[in-house]
Amino acid sequence: MTGSGVEGVVTMSVQPVDDDGEALLTVDELAAATGMTVRTTRYYAGLGLLPPPERRGRMAYYGPQHRARLDLIRALQDHGFTLSAIEKYLSRIPLEAPIEDLAVQRAMLTSWTSEKRETLTRRQVEKRAGRRLSDEDLDTLVKVQGLRREGAGYQVLAPFDSAVQTLDLHIPVDSFVEASAAIGRHMDELADELTAILRDKIVTPFRESEHSEEEAARFEQMFSRLRQLTLEGVVAGFQHAANQVISRSLSS
């Protein structure tokens, strides 16, 4: 009796790799690795925020560079960047930028970022404000960048407490919007300059030198203190500049 069968045939899928031997991921695997949905990942790719995937037949694969770029996008989101601000930020970073550069960018963002913002309900925002807020009040707080709408909820931004106080000043909202825009313009320039200093004078030299785990831990702690000192310096510098403007106006 003859048989014509194949016993114990096992097919094994081989993880595809790029030219450097790094594992390539499908869009589903990339989304899972970065904590994003597949839809969001594809949306960012469609906006040109990610390099084109590597095509192998009908399959599209993503490598470490795509993951590093998505990790940077997540860091920007945690920092409070809107989508348009993220697009503007990433437009300054070439799509072919190496992973190391993207990691440095993320490290610098993390060093200036406070704790991650929670999305609050309207009632929670009112509790934080210590008062009832009308629809008009909420719109005003959004316009003066005290709040940001996030789906059906809100995220409280750094100027929230000051923004709430403006509700009782009976001053046209447009004046606060213009002031916020002016602050935003100059803060963007200041942040760019401070980030360049941080990257060129501190982060890059540290990355290029050998260091122990203990030294790396101290370096991370130093960043936290550096952030506090920098913010204090920005406030003190603004107060000094404002006093000089007032003095000049009184003496003229």
Side-chain angles (χ1 to χ4, degrees), residues 27-178:
V27 67
D28 299 75
E29 292 169 334
L30 177 65
T34 55
M36 294 187 177
T37 65
V38 173
R39 181 178 181 181
T40 299
T41 303
R42 283 179 170 150
Y43 179 64
Y44 288 149
L47 291 176
L49 302 183
L50 302 179
E54 181 176 336
R55 295 281 178 179
R56 295 190 179 182
R58 295 184 178 181
M59 293 294 296
Y61 288 104
Y62 301 83
Q65 191 179 44
H66 297 92
R67 178 170 180 173
R69 208 167 178 94
L70 279 178
D71 286 339
L72 177 56
I73 291 174
R74 286 297 298 270
L76 289 165
Q77 290 174 330
D78 292 345
H79 197 66
F81 279 57
T82 63
L83 179 58
S84 60
I86 289 174
E87 291 183 272
K88 180 180 178 182
Y89 188 98
L90 291 179
S91 68
R92 301 195 293 263
I93 304 176
L95 287 175
E96 64 276 10
I99 299 172
E100 293 75 15
D101 286 356
L102 297 173
V104 168
Q105 290 285 339
R106 197 170 86 244
M108 289 187 294
L109 274 172
T110 303
S111 68
W112 303 117
T113 304
S114 57
E115 63 184 53
K116 188 176 179 179
R117 301 185 183 95
E118 295 182 71
T119 299
L120 306 180
T121 65
R122 179 171 182 159
R123 180 170 295 183
Q124 289 173 319
V125 172
E126 290 179 333
K127 183 177 181 180
R128 169 72 183 269
R131 59 188 289 174
R132 295 291 298 273
L133 298 171
S134 66
D135 291 343
E136 183 179 355
D137 290 337
L138 290 170
D139 288 340
T140 298
L141 292 175
V142 170
K143 287 180 180 178
V144 299
Q145 299 182 16
L147 285 177
R148 183 175 68 238
R149 287 192 173 88
E150 186 71 21
Y154 298 88
Q155 286 189 345
V156 173
L157 305 181
F160 177 77
D161 294 334
S162 299
V164 170
Q165 295 179 35
T166 66
L167 298 175
D168 298 322
L169 296 181
H170 306 295
I171 296 176
V173 176
D174 289 348
S175 62
F176 287 109
V177 172
E178 290 183 20

Side-chain angles (χ1 to χ4, degrees), residues 194-235:
L194 290 175
T195 297
I197 294 172
L198 179 66
R199 180 190 63 234
D200 298 338
K201 303 296 184 180
I202 300 175
V203 176
T204 299
F206 180 80
R207 285 182 53 250
E208 292 176 346
S209 62
E210 295 185 2
H211 47 269
S212 66
E213 292 185 7
E214 184 179 350
E215 289 172 332
R218 285 201 301 268
F219 186 73
E220 186 175 347
Q221 292 176 350
M222 178 272 293
F223 264 129
S224 178
R225 181 59 178 153
L226 177 62
R227 177 181 182 274
Q228 180 183 352
L229 292 174
T230 301
L231 293 177
E232 290 174 358
V234 169
V235 173

Side-chain angles (χ1 to χ4, degrees), residues 174-195:
D174 289 348
S175 62
F176 287 109
V177 172
E178 290 183 20
S180 295
I183 292 172
R185 286 194 303 272
H186 292 289
M187 288 301 100
D188 283 346
E189 294 176 3
L190 178 59
D192 283 343
E193 188 169 351
L194 290 175
T195 297

